[in-house]
Amino acid sequence: MAKQRASVKDVAQRAGVSVGTVSNVLNRPETVTERTRQRVETAMADLNFMRNASARQLRAGVSTTVGAILTDLGNPFYTEIARGIEDRLAVDGHALMVCSTDEDPQREARFVRQFAEQGVRGILVTPMVSTPDRLRELATFGIPSVLIDSRSDTHASVGGDHVGGGRLALEHLLAQGHRHIVFLNADKHLQQSRHRLRGAVEAITAAGLDPGTVLQVVNLSQPTASEGEQALIKLLEGPEPRPTALFCINDIVALGVIRGLRTRGLRIPQDVAVVGYDDLYWASELMTPLTSVRQPMRQIGWAAADLLLRDPLGATHTVFPPELIVRKSSDYQRPAD
Amino acid sequence: MAKQRASVKDVAQRAGVSVGTVSNVLNRPETVTERTRQRVETAMADLNFMRNASARQLRAGVSTTVGAILTDLGNPFYTEIARGIEDRLAVDGHALMVCSTDEDPQREARFVRQFAEQGVRGILVTPMVSTPDRLRELATFGIPSVLIDSRSDTHASVGGDHVGGGRLALEHLLAQGHRHIVFLNADKHLQQSRHRLRGAVEAITAAGLDPGTVLQVVNLSQPTASEGEQALIKLLEGPEPRPTALFCINDIVALGVIRGLRTRGLRIPQDVAVVGYDDLYWASELMTPLTSVRQPMRQIGWAAADLLLRDPLGATHTVFPPELIVRKSSDYQRPAD
DNA sequence: TCGCAAGGCTGGATCGTTTCACGACTAGAC
DNA sequence: GTCTAGTCGTGAAACGATCCAGCCTTGCGA
């Protein structure tokens, strides 16, 4: 049953040539006579020859697979990025290996090592704080990497402008008359979180207001719908006056928040306005259509893969501008106090 | 700059042992003295030794990566499956390669070949009609495969019960008094489509009604929101009386349908009821919360990977039962004509 | 003291491909 | 007929790890 796969040797034998010639047909067809090439190709077809990628890579040293280390493949934000990466890789036949870290540095370290052992052509990663250190060493071994959605001085990167995104969101909320806003943020160590916060603060300052009184930051342990809902409940039950607007680190958190507000009979946007981030495809179809900061995820993935394949060493930083999509969840002009 | 990676030979040299011993430390540590093992391990740490997976696989013949060929990584249904697969593979340190076929047989063939050349440990695939044929040959080379969400006599498979799902949906709609139902189906060649249709017909027949008059089937070229909306528009503009209920092949199509109905001022569920499939996480938060047939996607992915790693040859078929989640989009008892 | 067994380690063959120095052959010029 | 310049094709070395037959050492019993 377990028939053996044909090797170049078998092909050579059947075509009556040497293995070197078979290899030439495969890699430098122009150096081989038409006639011999035909013979070899027929033999390959007859035997259903398949190259052994391991042997190939061992000898030639070049790999045709790229590794992507994402935060969570289950999250549509990262999935869209993955799809963009995949599309770019498919252009020149590269394969994609993926894994989810769930923001666990240990897991990340394991995956980095695993990819290195596989000898991948390069690594794309949505990084944590400690990631660049882990990747630097690989670079000395000739394995390049590109950071996605976060930047560092030592690595090339592709991502959105999070400072700008945070600014857009806050400018909008301030213009609507909000003066007590809560930012449901992710881990404060994540660069995206810090940048969006910075943008938010910038917008408040630019409006001549005091960030300390206008903006309250809550850091979620996980940027999920249920964590968002939990955080909301805590806010509502707390002693402080109810915020009039919530800026959520992503649409999924916003989803939980909307659910929570609805359950408690609070009107969106009249009682509380909500703004999300990422503008996932369902944002416009929610019970309360969601205002959100759009990022071109698929393009980001595409660009990252493109950069990795073309020019991974130049520490280029590609930034895609965010776009605010205003929908009903924040479309309400608040009367001045 | 491009420092060379340390090989077993380097490690052996530094530890003052032979390469065979290094290999033993790696693969059969119990056959090596404690002292030598220590020495070798120190040397490995000093040199930051990383196994070369290609060489390893070439010689030992075992691979530690699994390939998954999915219909569309951008679609949350498949993404959840991917996440389930990934979680199972992580248990024993296997890596995952993914790709999206977009239902293009050519692409699928290319990916199958690519995975075969990589010498993957096995292949998981959400198949098309022609897929099993493509995979059969690989099996003779010792590369097993498991079908996801669709079954065949020649392969192991894991998936939902689509006949049952179709039946559930239709039983529900019939019970609500609907007698003119349209099924917005995917490609009629897809097994899921055929099975769900069969279940739907069974339910109608069991209710003593005539499927031919109760159910109209529309096949979408792609199961996307915009295609769903297009199809809806065509239905509404057509000469036939307006259906009172729409059964959609998945929640994304339902999303488009809901958007289309709303745009045209039709009330859901009073004018038209909508039922989706998959129960994606946002289904409950839509403008009109969506009734949907739930499938445990993550579990399905997990089980498929588990089957592949444990017992890929037994042509087992694991089936997960569907569950109907009734929400507002179909929660309306229609008065009898 | 010798023999023997078992444990520990060695060194070379091997996996399938690529690469490269070199040999064989062809054709054209003299 | 010889020489030259190419053109094609050959065959062996190399990539890095694994595996195995066998050598060397050690310790124990006689």
Side-chain angles (χ1 to χ4, degrees):
Chain A
M1 143 108 200
K3 206 187 335 176
Q4 270 315 298
R5 256 164 81 153
S7 73
V8 277
K9 207 192 295 180
D10 303 318
V11 173
Q13 202 156 41
R14 177 172 250 263
V17 297
S18 76
V19 293
T21 303
V22 176
S23 177
N24 282 336
V25 170
L26 252 17
N27 304 302
R28 285 177 236 71
E30 71 282 3
T31 70
V32 176
T33 327
E34 176 66 15
R35 225 176 74 80
T36 354
R37 223 195 59 218
Q38 295 280 1
R39 279 231 310 287
V40 172
E41 275 169 356
T42 312
M44 295 203 294
D46 291 350
L47 296 173
N48 202 330
F49 170 72
M50 291 187 185
R51 273 153 120 134
N52 180 324
S54 302
R56 190 170 155 67
Q57 181 175 342
L58 172 60
R59 177 61 237 238
V62 295
S63 168
T64 171
T65 88
V66 165
I69 301 181
L70 305 173
T71 306
D72 177 13
L73 239 200
N75 179 328
F77 173 73
Y78 297 102
T79 306
E80 278 293 306
I81 289 181
R83 194 59 163 91
I85 294 173
E86 197 207 330
D87 289 347
R88 174 59 184 86
L89 295 184
V91 170
D92 32 46
H94 283 56
L96 172 64
M97 307 190 65
V98 289
C99 56
S100 307
T101 61
D102 292 326
E103 297 195 28
D104 174 353
Q106 303 251 334
R107 280 176 66 113
E108 188 186 82
R110 222 179 64 215
F111 293 135
V112 167
R113 188 182 181 88
Q114 187 169 38
F115 284 160
E117 295 192 344
Q118 301 279 351
V120 293
R121 162 88 183 261
I123 295 181
L124 296 164
V125 47
T126 56
M128 294 175 279
V129 228
S130 52
T131 310
D133 293 328
R134 263 192 285 284
L135 295 177
R136 213 170 346 260
E137 194 200 8
L138 291 192
T140 70
F141 291 145
I143 301 182
S145 37
V146 170
L147 305 184
I148 296 180
D149 207 36
S150 182
R151 57 190 289 174
S152 123
D153 296 335
T154 55
H155 285 270
S157 73
V158 175
D161 170 11
H162 299 288
V163 177
R167 199 187 305 120
L168 275 181
L170 261 283
E171 280 170 0
H172 168 65
L173 288 174
L174 292 175
Q176 302 291 85
H178 294 282
R179 292 297 178 269
H180 183 6
I181 302 169
V182 169
F183 182 12
L184 291 180
N185 205 347
D187 183 344
K188 71 177 76 158
H189 297 300
L190 278 182
Q191 194 178 73
Q192 293 91 313
S193 306
R194 297 202 318 271
H195 281 191
R196 290 185 200 168
L197 177 57
R198 190 194 309 162
V201 167
E202 280 178 21
I204 297 170
T205 311
L209 297 165
D210 172 31
T213 65
V214 170
L215 192 69
Q216 177 186 350
V217 180
V218 173
N219 288 100
L220 305 176
S221 57
Q222 291 284 329
T224 61
S226 56
E227 286 296 318
E229 193 169 352
Q230 291 300 318
L232 171 76
I233 292 173
K234 225 174 266 168
L235 275 175
L236 295 181
E237 287 174 349
E240 317 200 12
R242 193 172 69 211
T244 64
L246 296 168
F247 174 32
C248 306
I249 189 69
N250 68 33
D251 286 355
I252 311 234
V253 168
L255 193 73
V257 163
I258 289 178
R259 189 195 298 149
L261 288 170
R262 201 183 63 240
T263 315
R264 320 207 139 222
L266 291 168
R267 293 167 307 162
I268 311 171
Q270 296 87 338
D271 296 327
V272 182
V274 179
V275 172
Y277 212 106
D278 295 343
D279 192 33
L280 299 182
Y281 61 95
W282 41 258
S284 59
E285 305 306 316
L286 293 185
M287 201 164 309
T288 312
L290 179 64
T291 295
S292 193
V293 180
R294 180 180 291 175
Q295 303 195 83
M297 283 93 80
R298 214 174 262 223
Q299 277 184 58
I300 290 177
W302 207 96
D306 190 60
L307 188 57
L308 184 75
L309 296 184
R310 301 173 99 95
D311 172 34
L313 297 178
T316 329
H317 300 285
T318 308
V319 176
F320 287 89
E323 182 187 1
L324 181 75
I325 311 292
V326 178
R327 300 201 183 87
K328 177 144 177 282
S329 74
S330 69
D331 190 8
Y332 170 73
Q333 183 62 45
R334 199 158 193 88
D337 293 329
Chain B
M1 144 108 199
K3 203 185 341 176
Q4 271 313 299
R5 257 165 82 153
S7 73
V8 277
K9 206 193 291 179
D10 302 319
V11 173
Q13 202 156 40
R14 177 172 249 264
V17 298
S18 75
V19 294
T21 303
V22 177
S23 175
N24 282 337
V25 170
L26 252 16
N27 304 301
R28 286 176 232 72
E30 71 282 2
T31 69
V32 177
T33 327
E34 177 66 15
R35 225 175 73 81
T36 345
R37 223 195 59 219
Q38 295 280 0
R39 279 229 311 288
V40 172
E41 275 168 356
T42 312
M44 295 203 294
D46 292 349
L47 296 173
N48 203 330
F49 170 72
M50 292 186 184
R51 273 154 122 134
N52 178 322
S54 303
R56 191 169 154 66
Q57 180 175 342
L58 172 59
R59 177 62 237 242
V62 296
S63 168
T64 172
T65 88
V66 166
I69 301 179
L70 304 173
T71 306
D72 176 14
L73 238 201
N75 180 327
F77 173 72
Y78 296 103
T79 306
E80 278 293 306
I81 289 181
R83 193 61 162 91
I85 293 173
E86 197 207 331
D87 289 346
R88 174 60 185 87
L89 295 184
V91 170
D92 31 49
H94 283 55
L96 172 64
M97 307 190 64
V98 290
C99 56
S100 307
T101 60
D102 292 326
E103 297 195 27
D104 175 352
Q106 302 249 336
R107 281 178 64 115
E108 188 185 83
R110 222 180 64 215
F111 293 135
V112 166
R113 188 182 183 90
Q114 187 169 37
F115 284 161
E117 294 191 346
Q118 301 279 352
V120 294
R121 162 86 183 264
I123 295 180
L124 296 164
V125 47
T126 55
M128 294 175 279
V129 227
S130 52
T131 310
D133 293 328
R134 263 192 285 284
L135 295 176
R136 216 174 340 267
E137 193 200 9
L138 290 192
T140 70
F141 290 145
I143 301 181
S145 38
V146 170
L147 306 185
I148 296 180
D149 207 38
S150 181
R151 56 190 291 173
S152 122
D153 295 335
T154 54
H155 285 270
S157 74
V158 175
D161 170 11
H162 299 287
V163 177
R167 199 188 304 122
L168 274 180
L170 262 283
E171 279 169 0
H172 168 64
L173 287 174
L174 292 175
Q176 301 291 84
H178 294 283
R179 292 297 177 269
H180 182 8
I181 302 168
V182 168
F183 182 11
L184 291 180
N185 205 348
D187 183 344
K188 72 177 74 158
H189 298 299
L190 278 182
Q191 193 179 74
Q192 294 92 312
S193 304
R194 296 202 319 271
H195 281 191
R196 289 184 200 169
L197 177 57
R198 190 195 308 163
V201 169
E202 279 178 23
I204 298 171
T205 312
L209 296 165
D210 171 32
T213 64
V214 171
L215 192 69
Q216 178 186 350
V217 180
V218 173
N219 288 99
L220 305 176
S221 58
Q222 291 284 328
T224 62
S226 56
E227 285 296 318
E229 193 169 352
Q230 290 301 320
L232 171 76
I233 291 173
K234 224 174 266 166
L235 274 175
L236 295 180
E237 286 173 349
E240 315 201 13
R242 191 173 72 211
T244 65
L246 296 168
F247 174 33
C248 306
I249 190 69
N250 68 32
D251 285 355
I252 311 234
V253 167
L255 192 73
V257 164
I258 289 177
R259 188 196 299 149
L261 289 171
R262 202 183 62 240
T263 315
R264 320 210 138 221
L266 291 168
R267 294 167 306 163
I268 310 171
Q270 295 87 337
D271 296 326
V272 182
V274 179
V275 172
Y277 212 105
D278 295 342
D279 193 33
L280 299 183
Y281 61 94
W282 40 258
S284 58
E285 306 305 317
L286 293 186
M287 201 162 309
T288 313
L290 179 64
T291 296
S292 193
V293 179
R294 178 180 293 174
Q295 304 195 82
M297 284 92 80
R298 213 172 262 223
Q299 277 185 58
I300 289 176
W302 207 96
D306 190 61
L307 188 57
L308 184 74
L309 296 183
R310 302 172 97 96
D311 173 33
L313 297 178
T316 329
H317 301 285
T318 307
V319 176
F320 287 88
E323 182 187 359
L324 181 76
I325 312 292
V326 178
R327 299 200 184 88
K328 177 144 177 284
S329 75
S330 69
D331 191 9
Y332 170 74
Q333 183 62 46
R334 199 160 192 87
D337 293 328

